[in-house]
Amino acid sequence: MKILLVFDFDNTIIDDNSDTWIVQCAPEKKLPIELQDSYKKGFWTEFMGRVFKYLGDEGVREDEMKRAMISMPFSPGMVELLNFIKKNKNKFDCIIISDSNSVFIDWVLEATNFHDVFDKVFTNPAAFDSNGHLTVEKHHTHSCTRCPQNLCKNVVLVEFVGEQLQQGVNYTRIVYIGDGGNDVCPVTFLKKDDIAMPRKGYALQKTLYRMCQNLEPMESSVVSWSSGVEIISYLQLLIKE
């Protein structure tokens, strides 16, 4: 009987957005206006595909992108939190559900030796093609109208929990740690013993606060955080129960 910890990546594990951070590799550290203006709401993955093609065309190579990516800072207290989970892995299963991409997340986890903290990473698959360009694909297709078309985190979470149940793994509770607007959908899946942990001052916390004000139904508890150290304190209480 374990607790399932679900993490977002951008602005949760790391203290920035990996997709915008990579722009520092561009000439003059910015994108051309016409490329910036090509973004359409809900089609971020397609936009990033164009960004990666532009970077490749400008001669930005894999090692340069990797150097930039692994220089990204972790969110406050996050290194301590991941080390705490590592030491208590018998009590937790741990997954990432992220709208970043598999290459960026792998680079960061490998560089910091945190790969073994996570049992599974759900994100947009990415790879370098024969021209040395980074290409990214949609994680999946879904019919949820609230989420961007490449990823509904709720669908991923429901499927994962269902598959685990079929294999005899039943979680005592789910703790969801995130920050963004696309974390709202999976939080609505949480039940009364589960805990939503939004980062203070970010979109997820603001949305959950508004839902609470509007008396919209939500079963889980909500505990906000600004440092991973606060999350450690909360998890220590949970594993003592």
Side-chain angles (χ1 to χ4, degrees), residues 9 12 26 29 38 40 42 46 51 56 73 92 95-96 104 115-116 120 184 200 204 225 227:
F9 184 69
T12 297
K29 301 190 176 185
S38 72
K40 290 188 179 66
E46 289 81 354
V51 170
F92 303 109
I95 63 173
I96 290 173
F104 288 177
H115 240 304
D116 58 347
K120 231 164 181 188
V184 175
K200 282 178 190 163
L204 177 60
W225 62 278
S227 165

mmCIF file of all heavy atoms in Angstrom, residues 9 12 26 29 38 40 42 46 51 56 73 92 95-96 104 115-116 120 184 200 204 225 227:
data_model
loop_
_atom_site.group_PDB
_atom_site.id
_atom_site.type_symbol
_atom_site.label_atom_id
_atom_site.label_comp_id
_atom_site.label_asym_id
_atom_site.label_seq_id
_atom_site.Cartn_x
_atom_site.Cartn_y
_atom_site.Cartn_z
ATOM 1 N N PHE A 9 6.454 19.045 -14.281
ATOM 2 C CA PHE A 9 7.899 19.276 -14.438
ATOM 3 C C PHE A 9 8.231 20.771 -14.452
ATOM 4 O O PHE A 9 8.870 21.281 -13.537
ATOM 5 C CB PHE A 9 8.393 18.596 -15.722
ATOM 6 C CG PHE A 9 9.878 18.700 -15.935
ATOM 7 C CD1 PHE A 9 10.768 18.013 -15.114
ATOM 8 C CD2 PHE A 9 10.399 19.469 -16.970
ATOM 9 C CE1 PHE A 9 12.147 18.108 -15.306
ATOM 10 C CE2 PHE A 9 11.769 19.569 -17.178
ATOM 11 C CZ PHE A 9 12.649 18.880 -16.341
ATOM 12 N N THR A 12 7.630 23.364 -11.486
ATOM 13 C CA THR A 12 7.330 22.541 -10.313
ATOM 14 C C THR A 12 8.618 21.862 -9.863
ATOM 15 O O THR A 12 9.195 22.234 -8.856
ATOM 16 C CB THR A 12 6.212 21.516 -10.614
ATOM 17 O OG1 THR A 12 4.999 22.215 -10.920
ATOM 18 C CG2 THR A 12 5.956 20.599 -9.421
ATOM 19 N N ALA A 26 18.992 30.484 -28.967
ATOM 20 C CA ALA A 26 18.745 31.153 -30.255
ATOM 21 C C ALA A 26 19.689 32.339 -30.432
ATOM 22 O O ALA A 26 20.194 32.891 -29.448
ATOM 23 C CB ALA A 26 17.292 31.631 -30.317
ATOM 24 N N LYS A 29 19.407 35.300 -28.289
ATOM 25 C CA LYS A 29 18.543 34.746 -27.223
ATOM 26 C C LYS A 29 17.076 35.113 -27.399
ATOM 27 O O LYS A 29 16.336 35.271 -26.424
ATOM 28 C CB LYS A 29 19.048 35.183 -25.838
ATOM 29 C CG LYS A 29 20.477 34.742 -25.580
ATOM 30 C CD LYS A 29 20.888 34.958 -24.146
ATOM 31 C CE LYS A 29 22.294 34.394 -23.944
ATOM 32 N NZ LYS A 29 22.755 34.429 -22.580
ATOM 33 N N SER A 38 3.379 32.828 -34.410
ATOM 34 C CA SER A 38 2.756 31.658 -35.055
ATOM 35 C C SER A 38 2.059 30.746 -34.036
ATOM 36 O O SER A 38 1.376 29.795 -34.419
ATOM 37 C CB SER A 38 3.805 30.856 -35.834
ATOM 38 O OG SER A 38 4.675 30.161 -34.939
ATOM 39 N N LYS A 40 -0.647 29.205 -31.713
ATOM 40 C CA LYS A 40 -2.107 29.223 -31.578
ATOM 41 C C LYS A 40 -2.473 28.480 -30.295
ATOM 42 O O LYS A 40 -1.925 27.410 -30.016
ATOM 43 C CB LYS A 40 -2.771 28.533 -32.775
ATOM 44 C CG LYS A 40 -2.663 29.299 -34.077
ATOM 45 C CD LYS A 40 -3.517 28.636 -35.173
ATOM 46 C CE LYS A 40 -3.449 29.400 -36.480
ATOM 47 N NZ LYS A 40 -2.095 29.356 -37.086
ATOM 48 N N GLY A 42 -3.628 26.143 -27.540
ATOM 49 C CA GLY A 42 -3.944 24.710 -27.589
ATOM 50 C C GLY A 42 -3.019 23.910 -28.492
ATOM 51 O O GLY A 42 -3.106 22.686 -28.556
ATOM 52 N N GLU A 46 3.014 21.885 -31.453
ATOM 53 C CA GLU A 46 3.301 22.218 -32.856
ATOM 54 C C GLU A 46 4.190 23.461 -32.926
ATOM 55 O O GLU A 46 5.128 23.530 -33.731
ATOM 56 C CB GLU A 46 1.999 22.468 -33.630
ATOM 57 C CG GLU A 46 1.164 21.215 -33.878
ATOM 58 C CD GLU A 46 0.302 20.800 -32.681
ATOM 59 O OE1 GLU A 46 0.425 21.407 -31.585
ATOM 60 O OE2 GLU A 46 -0.473 19.855 -32.845
ATOM 61 N N VAL A 51 9.898 25.929 -33.303
ATOM 62 C CA VAL A 51 11.025 26.535 -32.575
ATOM 63 C C VAL A 51 12.265 25.646 -32.704
ATOM 64 O O VAL A 51 13.362 26.130 -33.002
ATOM 65 C CB VAL A 51 10.668 26.754 -31.076
ATOM 66 C CG1 VAL A 51 11.913 27.152 -30.276
ATOM 67 C CG2 VAL A 51 9.581 27.807 -30.940
ATOM 68 N N GLY A 56 17.596 24.407 -35.017
ATOM 69 C CA GLY A 56 18.432 23.514 -35.830
ATOM 70 C C GLY A 56 18.947 24.201 -37.082
ATOM 71 O O GLY A 56 20.127 24.093 -37.444
ATOM 72 N N PRO A 73 17.648 25.994 -12.972
ATOM 73 C CA PRO A 73 17.591 25.757 -11.520
ATOM 74 C C PRO A 73 16.380 24.910 -11.133
ATOM 75 O O PRO A 73 15.337 24.957 -11.788
ATOM 76 C CB PRO A 73 17.444 27.171 -10.954
ATOM 77 C CG PRO A 73 16.794 27.960 -12.053
ATOM 78 C CD PRO A 73 17.284 27.374 -13.344
ATOM 79 N N PHE A 92 6.548 5.199 -1.558
ATOM 80 C CA PHE A 92 5.989 6.033 -2.630
ATOM 81 C C PHE A 92 6.230 5.438 -4.019
ATOM 82 O O PHE A 92 7.312 4.927 -4.295
ATOM 83 C CB PHE A 92 6.644 7.426 -2.629
ATOM 84 C CG PHE A 92 6.532 8.182 -1.338
ATOM 85 C CD1 PHE A 92 7.643 8.375 -0.534
ATOM 86 C CD2 PHE A 92 5.313 8.697 -0.922
ATOM 87 C CE1 PHE A 92 7.549 9.081 0.662
ATOM 88 C CE2 PHE A 92 5.207 9.407 0.269
ATOM 89 C CZ PHE A 92 6.333 9.597 1.066
ATOM 90 N N ILE A 95 5.474 9.530 -10.332
ATOM 91 C CA ILE A 95 5.441 9.711 -11.783
ATOM 92 C C ILE A 95 5.482 11.207 -12.130
ATOM 93 O O ILE A 95 5.148 12.054 -11.300
ATOM 94 C CB ILE A 95 4.191 9.051 -12.431
ATOM 95 C CG1 ILE A 95 2.889 9.690 -11.931
ATOM 96 C CG2 ILE A 95 4.188 7.541 -12.195
ATOM 97 C CD1 ILE A 95 1.632 9.207 -12.666
ATOM 98 N N ILE A 96 5.922 11.481 -13.341
ATOM 99 C CA ILE A 96 5.860 12.838 -13.898
ATOM 100 C C ILE A 96 4.838 12.826 -15.024
ATOM 101 O O ILE A 96 4.840 11.906 -15.857
ATOM 102 C CB ILE A 96 7.235 13.271 -14.466
ATOM 103 C CG1 ILE A 96 8.251 13.502 -13.337
ATOM 104 C CG2 ILE A 96 7.110 14.548 -15.311
ATOM 105 C CD1 ILE A 96 9.677 13.759 -13.828
ATOM 106 N N PHE A 104 14.239 16.715 -22.883
ATOM 107 C CA PHE A 104 14.564 17.706 -21.848
ATOM 108 C C PHE A 104 14.496 17.088 -20.447
ATOM 109 O O PHE A 104 15.372 17.295 -19.608
ATOM 110 C CB PHE A 104 13.613 18.906 -21.920
ATOM 111 C CG PHE A 104 13.832 19.815 -23.098
ATOM 112 C CD1 PHE A 104 13.001 20.903 -23.322
ATOM 113 C CD2 PHE A 104 14.876 19.606 -23.993
ATOM 114 C CE1 PHE A 104 13.197 21.766 -24.397
ATOM 115 C CE2 PHE A 104 15.086 20.458 -25.075
ATOM 116 C CZ PHE A 104 14.237 21.541 -25.279
ATOM 117 N N HIS A 115 16.818 10.067 -11.866
ATOM 118 C CA HIS A 115 16.015 9.189 -12.732
ATOM 119 C C HIS A 115 15.305 8.098 -11.937
ATOM 120 O O HIS A 115 14.140 7.778 -12.197
ATOM 121 C CB HIS A 115 16.894 8.545 -13.808
ATOM 122 C CG HIS A 115 16.457 8.906 -15.187
ATOM 123 N ND1 HIS A 115 15.180 8.687 -15.650
ATOM 124 C CD2 HIS A 115 17.114 9.496 -16.220
ATOM 125 C CE1 HIS A 115 15.072 9.111 -16.897
ATOM 126 N NE2 HIS A 115 16.227 9.624 -17.260
ATOM 127 N N ASP A 116 16.012 7.530 -10.945
ATOM 128 C CA ASP A 116 15.456 6.387 -10.207
ATOM 129 C C ASP A 116 14.384 6.784 -9.191
ATOM 130 O O ASP A 116 13.742 5.922 -8.596
ATOM 131 C CB ASP A 116 16.573 5.583 -9.537
ATOM 132 C CG ASP A 116 17.417 6.428 -8.578
ATOM 133 O OD1 ASP A 116 17.296 7.668 -8.633
ATOM 134 O OD2 ASP A 116 18.190 5.855 -7.789
ATOM 135 N N LYS A 120 7.766 6.362 -13.723
ATOM 136 C CA LYS A 120 7.331 6.559 -15.105
ATOM 137 C C LYS A 120 7.276 8.051 -15.419
ATOM 138 O O LYS A 120 6.948 8.859 -14.540
ATOM 139 C CB LYS A 120 5.950 5.945 -15.319
ATOM 140 C CG LYS A 120 5.918 5.019 -16.518
ATOM 141 C CD LYS A 120 4.741 4.108 -16.561
ATOM 142 C CE LYS A 120 4.914 3.242 -17.811
ATOM 143 N NZ LYS A 120 3.774 2.432 -18.116
ATOM 144 N N VAL A 184 -5.177 21.567 -13.645
ATOM 145 C CA VAL A 184 -6.524 21.655 -13.056
ATOM 146 C C VAL A 184 -7.317 20.387 -13.374
ATOM 147 O O VAL A 184 -7.962 19.804 -12.491
ATOM 148 C CB VAL A 184 -7.280 22.907 -13.560
ATOM 149 C CG1 VAL A 184 -8.718 22.917 -13.027
ATOM 150 C CG2 VAL A 184 -6.542 24.178 -13.155
ATOM 151 N N LYS A 200 2.324 27.973 -4.647
ATOM 152 C CA LYS A 200 1.774 29.281 -4.272
ATOM 153 C C LYS A 200 2.066 30.336 -5.329
ATOM 154 O O LYS A 200 3.207 30.441 -5.810
ATOM 155 C CB LYS A 200 2.380 29.752 -2.939
ATOM 156 C CG LYS A 200 1.779 29.093 -1.722
ATOM 157 C CD LYS A 200 2.443 29.563 -0.440
ATOM 158 C CE LYS A 200 1.981 28.701 0.735
ATOM 159 N NZ LYS A 200 2.851 28.814 1.895
ATOM 160 N N LEU A 204 -2.442 27.199 -11.036
ATOM 161 C CA LEU A 204 -3.240 26.132 -10.428
ATOM 162 C C LEU A 204 -3.819 26.588 -9.088
ATOM 163 O O LEU A 204 -5.011 26.409 -8.830
ATOM 164 C CB LEU A 204 -2.389 24.862 -10.233
ATOM 165 C CG LEU A 204 -3.099 23.689 -9.539
ATOM 166 C CD1 LEU A 204 -4.327 23.223 -10.331
ATOM 167 C CD2 LEU A 204 -2.131 22.521 -9.324
ATOM 168 N N TRP A 225 2.160 25.137 -1.582
ATOM 169 C CA TRP A 225 3.574 25.091 -1.192
ATOM 170 C C TRP A 225 4.363 26.158 -1.941
ATOM 171 O O TRP A 225 3.973 26.590 -3.019
ATOM 172 C CB TRP A 225 4.177 23.710 -1.495
ATOM 173 C CG TRP A 225 4.157 23.355 -2.963
ATOM 174 C CD1 TRP A 225 3.103 22.844 -3.658
ATOM 175 C CD2 TRP A 225 5.211 23.523 -3.920
ATOM 176 N NE1 TRP A 225 3.421 22.675 -4.982
ATOM 177 C CE2 TRP A 225 4.720 23.080 -5.176
ATOM 178 C CE3 TRP A 225 6.521 23.997 -3.846
ATOM 179 C CZ2 TRP A 225 5.492 23.105 -6.338
ATOM 180 C CZ3 TRP A 225 7.295 24.023 -5.015
ATOM 181 C CH2 TRP A 225 6.776 23.575 -6.243
ATOM 182 N N SER A 227 7.995 25.821 -1.213
ATOM 183 C CA SER A 227 9.276 25.104 -1.178
ATOM 184 C C SER A 227 9.016 23.614 -1.029
ATOM 185 O O SER A 227 8.067 23.205 -0.329
ATOM 186 C CB SER A 227 10.136 25.589 -0.010
ATOM 187 O OG SER A 227 11.198 24.682 0.232
#
